[in-house]
Amino acid sequence: MAKDNLSVVLHKVREEYPQCDIVLENREKPEPGDNDVVLQMHSVGICGSDVSYWVKGRIGDFIVENPMVIGHEAAGKVLKCGKNVHHLKPGDRVAIEPGYPLRDDEFSRHGRYNLSEVFFCATPPDDGNLQRFYRHNADFCYKLPDNVTYEEGALIEPLSVGIHACRRAGVTLGHKILICGAGPIGLVSLLIAKSMGASKIVMTDLFDTRLKMAKELGADHVIKIDRSSSPKTVAEQVAHLLDGMPDRTIECTGAESAIQTGIYATKSGGVLLLVGLGPAMVNVPIVDAAVREVDIRGVFRYCNTYPTAIKMLESGQVNVKPLVTHRFPMEESEKAFHVTKSGEAVKVMLKCDPNDQNP
């Protein structure tokens, strides 16, 4: 079989950073299983987790031990359908939900399939979708409306994190919100929190460019952090800007100091939601949270979010287009990864179709 499926593959080759090389390989074109579709890929965004696998060769217990195709924020066009697929047809443009449960268990039966044993694109040992052609479970491919672009389809993946985060935090009308981190996940959390009725939102970050984007997308206030900033001092700044402590804090960095800020800042009886994944062990003022009944909640990816995200994009309720600041053909993937790692970009989009480099 001809190997004409250009793919972007991580190879772990060293112990110093970056531990992986980014290699362009021609692999075999996939064929659909009975419940699958084969897609011609169009747009794939680079996520911070992709960069972590490239640089560190791992995220927690997920370790790149064998060559792995990278990429999980993606959209493409249906080329072929398996015999049991009836809701899609060749030519349909779809967004790809990268994770799906591998068996029917108590979590999937209760609608929390993100907590089940799952296949997830570009999470070892599972290959991702930064390829010309890719096969996926058809039930987790969602047809895009005509007014939603491929790039918006790819951005449904990070947008889903924001939807799940705001649902888990219980964001509602009138809430004051602190969002730590103005990267892509912080920014989509901003968009969703505003759409759910948050009254005032303050965002923190290390980079002026990201804070500028946050203001443009609707943040009421921003605070530039430096690595010496005291968590208690930042919490006091937040309370001053919001005219009171935030009802909900959404922590998107994983940094120990930001988690500490989140606890000190959040209103008694409020919720601190942990989205960012940092070190496995962190020091936090847990007694401060306990005696003030600040609930600390976690999120793991998302579930049941893609239909909601598509409706929000179709109606214009949220606009994710400004998040894409850089575009590269997939042949320039290594350059794109360096740009992402530098922090100069908000969202880098890779284009997989050589005949269509449009959004």
Side-chain angles (χ1 to χ4, degrees), residues 62-82:
F62 296 104
I63 302 170
V64 180
E65 296 178 334
N66 299 302
M68 180 183 76
V69 179
I70 200 67
H72 64 273
E73 302 178 359
K77 180 173 65 177
V78 176
L79 289 183
K80 295 182 179 180
C81 298

Side-chain angles (χ1 to χ4, degrees), residues 54 115 126 274:
W54 166 48
L115 302 180
D126 300 328
L274 304 180

Side-chain angles (χ1 to χ4, degrees), residues 297-315:
R297 301 176 185 171
V299 298
F300 186 59
R301 297 170 178 155
Y302 42 79
C303 58
N304 306 306
T305 54
Y306 267 61
T308 298
I310 289 171
K311 290 174 184 175
M312 295 180 83
L313 291 171
E314 182 181 23
S315 68

Side-chain angles (χ1 to χ4, degrees), residues 162-213:
I163 292 171
H164 190 55
C166 288
R167 284 175 175 172
R168 286 276 295 155
V171 174
T172 192
L173 296 170
H175 272 168
K176 297 175 182 179
I177 308 291
L178 165 63
I179 300 175
C180 300
I185 298 303
L187 293 173
V188 294
S189 297
L190 163 67
L191 293 173
I192 298 301
K194 285 181 65 68
S195 73
M196 294 176 77
S199 60
K200 289 185 179 180
I201 300 176
V202 61
M203 296 192 70
T204 66
D205 203 272
L206 295 165
F207 297 101
D208 287 321
T209 53
R210 291 182 169 185
L211 294 174
K212 180 175 181 290
M213 176 71 76

Side-chain angles (χ1 to χ4, degrees), residues 119-142:
F119 169 93
F120 200 91
C121 291
T123 298
D126 300 328
D127 280 328
N129 48 35
L130 185 46
Q131 320 176 48
R132 292 267 195 254
F133 305 99
Y134 170 69
R135 178 178 59 224
H136 200 70
N137 184 327
D139 286 339
F140 290 82
C141 294
Y142 300 84

Side-chain angles (χ1 to χ4, degrees), residues 24-46:
L24 293 173
E25 294 181 1
N26 275 306
R27 295 188 165 196
E28 291 184 359
K29 265 173 110 168
E31 291 294 325
D34 291 348
N35 301 305
D36 300 331
V37 289
V38 171
L39 306 170
Q40 181 175 5
M41 299 304 297
H42 187 281
S43 297
V44 180
I46 299 178

